[in-house]
Amino acid sequence: MLTKGKGKHPGDGFSIQDGNHQIVPSLTRPSAPKMDIKGDHLSIQDIIDVSLLGRHVPLSHDVDDHVAAAHQLILDRLKAGQPMYGVNTNFGGLATKQLTANEASALQENLIWGLKSGAGRKLPPYLVRAAMLIRANALARGASGARRILIERLLAFLNEGVTPVVHELGSIGASGDLIPLAEIVGCVIGLSKAYRVVDQNGRELDALAALAEMGLEPLRLERKEGLALVNGTSMMNGIACHVITDARKLLRLSLYLHAFYIQALEGSPEPFSAFLHQCKPHPGQVEAARLMRELLKGGKVLPNAEQMLESDKALIQDRYSIRCLPQYMGPILDAFALIEKQVEMEANCVDDNPLVDVSAGMVLNGGNFLGQYIGTGMDLLRYHVALLTKHLDTQIAMLVTPSMNNGLPASLVGTRADDTGIKLGLKALQIFANSVLPRLMHLASPITHLFPTHAEEYNQNINSQGSTLPTWQESLLVF
């Protein structure tokens, strides 16, 4: 029977209006429990609750010792004159020599200024808030070398509903989301009036005025802190959390629609029998069949093969869009589960460079900032959302076509004899769907393999385009 469901996944409550994001999230949700940021246990639902619904976020004191120890190790190595990338050297292709003490002192804030080049539309505040939460969580692991006060500042902005203005364009997803995250950092530390924020009432003001209203002073960045704040995948990851949540709602909705279509077309329930899928037990296929059995339970009695043969139906079995539904939808369910797992893991990673291993007394150079998991995940998600829409379009075409819809009126014009001659039914709706489908197919094209190999003096010569992909995915979901 078609009833509202409630499951473990975000959006499984099946309310379409859940996807209608507010421009500025509500900060009045007293029933939402508080959560501590510790660096390792954020769920996608946590991120949605904080970024969209205004859940309060304190910083756990469990992180104090390792956050302080990592920062102290940076200072100790500096005192010993040891070279550290991005601490007493410049960045990327410019990291060719060790800087003087005065140069290193100015380096971190100069990095934020140097990255002030975002362009395009302003991202919705809930996406920026998601990035801020994920960045705070990464720093709380104590492997980045940033002080506790910077993590607290990110959370203060979240809890007060003050959101930096961040622009859509600028990140190639290689050294993380440098340009978008720098727009966040410029606001939370109060670097200049040139950085803008939006408060919870939708009012835009400069960062220094916002700090004054919050009773906070501007912060000066210490060694490595600018790099720790901008050198990660938090922006693309935050967008991806919302995208996979919305896509899962569409997946759920599509299953409900298929159940309606199958009943309208008098399809057979046999293709969803448990035995068939025990013989080919891919997890997604088995789950798709189970969901269809549940959705069809208690509805109109559907024919079996013998009844279909005895009826006026032309075929003893249904066409593939019904009969192969579990096999078609199974890989989509499996892909969604994989992508969701990867997106959530990314939200609990330390993804800047270099990283501080306090136990070994080492500062290690690596590449955790590369957003390849988000990039390839969003490519895969767009592809599977396109498959969802293609399948639905096929079912709609059968519904409106007399030779395939088992006795329903053409274009579903209705059955009243006195007015069916002038009615158009759902003809225009199907035409509209046909106009949208090619756009969806175009937006489903992969991007991760199209990266430029010469970025930033060939230093970022592989890159994920991970921030481009979630915003494309948002466009696809809107359609």
Side-chain angles (χ1 to χ4, degrees), residues 59 63-72 74 108 135-136 138-152 154 221-230 350 352 354 356:
L59 177 61
V63 310
D64 289 357
D65 289 346
H66 48 269
V67 166
H71 183 66
Q72 188 60 49
I74 293 287
Q108 300 303 311
R135 196 83 223 118
L139 298 179
R141 286 281 288 273
S144 300
R147 293 168 293 160
R148 178 186 172 97
I149 192 172
L150 288 170
I151 310 171
E152 290 175 332
L154 285 166
L221 295 176
E222 295 189 5
R223 308 301 173 83
K224 193 185 179 293
E225 289 183 331
L227 186 58
L229 284 161
V230 302
V350 187
D352 59 293
V356 183

Side-chain angles (χ1 to χ4, degrees), residues 128-455:
V128 180
R129 288 171 57 82
M132 294 168 70
L133 177 63
I134 294 169
R135 196 83 223 118
N137 196 53
L139 298 179
R141 286 281 288 273
S144 300
R147 293 168 293 160
R148 178 186 172 97
I149 192 172
L150 288 170
I151 310 171
E152 290 175 332
R153 180 60 61 89
L154 285 166
L155 298 182
F157 269 63
L158 282 173
N159 293 332
E160 291 291 327
V162 178
T163 307
V165 171
V166 176
H167 295 87
E168 177 183 16
L169 302 177
S171 175
I172 62 173
S175 195
D177 293 313
L178 294 171
I179 289 172
L181 291 179
E183 291 190 278
I184 293 174
V185 177
C187 291
V188 299
I189 68 171
L191 186 58
S192 163
K193 289 184 177 180
Y195 294 88
R196 309 285 294 176
V197 303
V198 176
D199 70 12
Q200 60 180 301
N201 298 314
R203 178 176 55 119
E204 186 171 311
L205 63 161
D206 70 74
L208 293 178
L211 285 176
E213 289 189 6
M214 296 168 68
L216 299 173
E217 296 290 332
L219 290 174
R220 296 300 305 270
L221 295 176
E222 295 189 5
R223 308 301 173 83
K224 193 185 179 293
E225 289 183 331
L227 186 58
L229 284 161
V230 302
N231 189 204
T233 62
S234 304
M235 192 74 252
M236 67 180 88
N237 194 186
I239 299 172
C241 286
H242 280 277
V243 164
I244 186 63
T245 299
D246 288 347
R248 186 169 282 285
K249 294 174 186 177
L250 290 182
L251 173 60
R252 185 93 178 167
L253 176 59
S254 70
L255 289 167
Y256 277 71
L257 290 173
H258 281 298
F260 280 123
Y261 296 158
I262 290 167
Q263 291 216 333
L265 292 166
E266 296 184 343
S268 171
E270 284 188 5
F272 313 117
S273 299
F275 173 78
L276 288 172
H277 307 287
Q278 291 165 4
C279 293
K280 190 176 182 181
H282 291 290
Q285 177 179 327
V286 171
E287 178 65 4
R290 185 193 69 79
L291 288 169
M292 294 313 297
R293 290 196 301 273
E294 286 296 315
L295 290 171
L296 293 171
K297 188 187 302 180
K300 182 173 66 174
V301 177
L302 299 175
N304 57 31
E306 184 177 353
Q307 291 167 332
M308 292 172 74
L309 188 61
E310 292 173 352
S311 71
D312 293 334
K313 295 187 69 168
L315 298 173
I316 190 174
Q317 54 184 2
D318 289 306
R319 292 177 174 84
Y320 284 13
S321 60
I322 293 176
R323 182 156 41 102
C324 299
L325 186 149
Q327 293 83 356
Y328 185 95
M329 296 288 287
I332 300 175
L333 268 66
D334 286 338
F336 274 47
L338 173 64
I339 296 162
E340 195 170 54
K341 179 180 178 181
Q342 292 176 343
V343 168
E344 188 164 283
M345 183 174 291
E346 190 82 13
N348 290 284
C349 292
V350 187
D351 53 2
D352 59 293
N353 175 62
L355 294 182
V356 183
D357 183 349
V358 174
S359 61
M362 299 177 68
V363 177
L364 303 171
N365 296 311
N368 282 0
F369 46 66
L370 188 70
Q372 201 71 7
Y373 277 102
I374 300 297
T376 56
M378 292 297 100
D379 264 351
L380 184 61
L381 186 62
R382 287 199 328 282
Y383 170 77
H384 282 290
V385 170
L387 288 179
L388 277 180
T389 58
K390 192 82 169 181
H391 194 186
L392 290 169
D393 183 64
T394 301
Q395 303 284 59
I396 292 169
M398 288 176 59
L399 275 170
V400 300
T401 305
S403 62
M404 296 184 183
N405 66 13
N406 297 324
L408 295 172
S411 291
L412 305 183
V413 294
T415 57
R416 288 181 56 187
D418 59 340
D419 63 4
T420 53
I422 61 171
K423 296 293 186 182
L424 297 179
L426 300 184
K427 186 178 293 293
L429 184 60
Q430 189 193 13
I431 293 172
F432 171 80
N434 294 159
S435 75
V436 169
L437 193 63
R439 300 189 187 196
L440 296 178
M441 299 304 106
H442 171 69
L443 287 170
S445 301
I447 304 175
T448 47
H449 67 295
L450 300 176
F451 64 86
T453 59
H454 52 270

Side-chain angles (χ1 to χ4, degrees), residues 116-131:
K116 196 177 191 311
S117 58
R121 70 178 178 120
K122 297 174 183 177
L123 290 176
Y126 66 88
L127 297 181
V128 180
R129 288 171 57 82

